[in-house]
Amino acid sequence: GLSGTGKTTLSADPNRKLIGDDEHGWSKNGIFNFEGGCYAKTINLTKENEPTIWKAITNGALVENVRFFPDSDVVNYDDISVTENTRCAYPIEYIDNIAVPSVGPQPKNIFFLTADAFGVLPPISKLTPAQAAYHFISGYTAKVAGTEEGVTEPKAVFSACFGAPFMPLHPTAYADMLAEKMKAADTNVWLINTGWSGGSYGVGNRMKLSYTRAMITAAMNGHLDEVSYTEHPLFGLAMPNAVPGVPTSLLNPVSTWKSEEEYEATAQLLARKFIENFKEFADQASDEVRSAAPRVYSNAR
């Protein structure tokens, strides 16, 4: 996932051992981490909501872009006078529940994170191999007002392979590598929307962390292998009809909007952005991957 989608927050789950929050490698021997530490957003950080990250910010950690309470060395995490992108870097040893060394077996589940500020994508959906390649190549998230100068409304952002500046080869080459690894390890891929529900940014609400964690846990524990799914009419994504610990009403995004017509119009808008972005890669993508694009209606509809 790109910046702001929840990598550090979701990886710091007390129920699982931490390998790292970013920059991993996948070899024939399994998963390993390059960085040896974490780089967390600290905006509105509280001990109650993020006890693991809160405890890790101690002597030896490095905070940036933050402000302190007057005449103290206590960080005011609610102060965004410099930027909303307040951060802290800390060694992985500052987390209690870590894997030593920072390696793991072959992954059974991969989660693509997006913070969809349009409120269109479901909070969790299971991807086919073709959809996994399409969304990996697309690398979608959204920026919202306050995160970058000049951004006043939700803006779709696409970064191929979730890290375009670091990819010297054509994105389809990495998608092929991913598909090969997934097939060999029999890996499931899930798209997780940590963004908005019930409307776009400014109208809807951001998905609760507790619900997102419950969805990821359900996927990893195999609970979602036993439920039925509904296909999203535009994006073709398989949306589970039940997830333990998550209200059923949240699982299909259209049901969270007050107006089905407004949802459909916004979904069409986002779908067209996906299609326009993918034109750059379509000539080297297979027919199967191109077929995973969202569906849009003609202007005559």
Side-chain angles (χ1 to χ4, degrees):
L2 296 170
S3 178
T5 55
K7 296 187 296 296
T8 302
T9 300
L10 291 170
S11 66
D13 190 317
N15 296 317
R16 287 184 288 275
K17 289 189 178 297
L18 180 68
I19 293 175
D21 72 334
D22 202 357
E23 303 295 341
H24 294 79
W26 185 358
S27 76
K28 63 181 180 180
N29 298 317
I31 293 292
F32 59 96
N33 182 253
F34 289 103
E35 294 186 318
C38 298
Y39 186 52
K41 283 193 173 221
T42 59
I43 181 174
N44 302 133
L45 181 69
T46 65
K47 184 178 181 180
E48 293 71 29
N49 291 338
E50 295 290 347
T52 302
I53 295 175
W54 180 275
K55 184 179 178 181
I57 304 178
T58 184
N59 291 337
L62 176 67
V63 290
E64 65 182 20
N65 296 335
V66 300
R67 284 292 179 261
F68 298 85
F69 287 105
D71 303 318
S72 79
D73 60 357
V74 179
V75 177
N76 181 356
Y77 294 114
D78 296 327
D79 188 333
I80 57 173
S81 59
V82 175
T83 174
E84 290 191 16
N85 191 23
T86 53
R87 294 276 189 167
C88 180
Y90 48 85
I92 196 169
E93 291 80 10
Y94 284 23
I95 301 287
D96 290 332
N97 195 26
I98 62 172
V100 180
S102 296
V103 298
Q106 296 292 336
K108 292 303 178 185
N109 295 279
I110 293 175
F111 300 93
F112 293 165
L113 304 182
T114 180
D116 176 24
F118 293 87
V120 166
L121 296 178
I124 182 170
S125 51
K126 191 173 185 179
L127 305 184
T128 66
Q131 289 172 336
Y134 184 89
H135 284 273
F136 183 63
I137 293 170
S138 298
Y140 165 70
T141 192
K143 294 179 180 178
V144 297
T147 58
E148 187 174 298
E149 187 175 2
V151 178
T152 58
E153 59 184 30
K155 178 182 178 182
V157 176
F158 296 91
S159 183
C161 307
F162 301 101
F166 308 103
M167 306 296 169
L169 302 179
H170 192 278
T172 55
Y174 299 106
D176 290 343
M177 293 181 197
L178 176 63
E180 183 180 345
K181 291 282 188 187
M182 287 168 46
K183 183 177 181 181
D186 191 23
T187 305
N188 295 317
V189 180
W190 308 83
L191 182 64
I192 301 289
N193 176 17
T194 61
W196 275 256
S197 176
S200 298
Y201 174 80
V203 176
N205 298 302
R206 191 149 192 188
M207 187 62 57
K208 289 183 177 180
L209 173 60
S210 59
Y211 292 156
T212 302
R213 280 189 166 147
M215 294 175 209
I216 289 176
T217 297
M220 294 182 70
N221 289 348
H223 292 308
L224 301 189
D225 297 338
E226 304 168 357
V227 302
S228 61
Y229 287 77
T230 296
E231 182 178 303
H232 191 281
L234 266 70
F235 283 82
L237 304 170
M239 305 178 293
N241 293 321
V243 176
V246 180
T248 304
S249 59
L250 292 178
L251 299 176
N252 189 333
V254 67
S255 66
T256 67
W257 283 55
K258 292 181 179 179
S259 167
E260 184 175 341
E261 290 74 19
E262 287 184 13
Y263 173 81
E264 183 173 303
T266 306
Q268 285 285 329
L269 173 66
L270 182 60
R272 293 182 189 279
K273 291 181 182 295
F274 266 87
I275 291 170
E276 183 63 29
N277 171 75
F278 203 82
K279 288 179 180 179
E280 179 181 351
F281 316 111
D283 63 333
Q284 295 193 44
S286 67
D287 290 341
E288 183 182 17
V289 173
R290 288 196 296 268
S291 71
R295 311 175 186 103
V296 294
Y297 301 134
S298 67
N299 294 331
R301 180 181 169 88

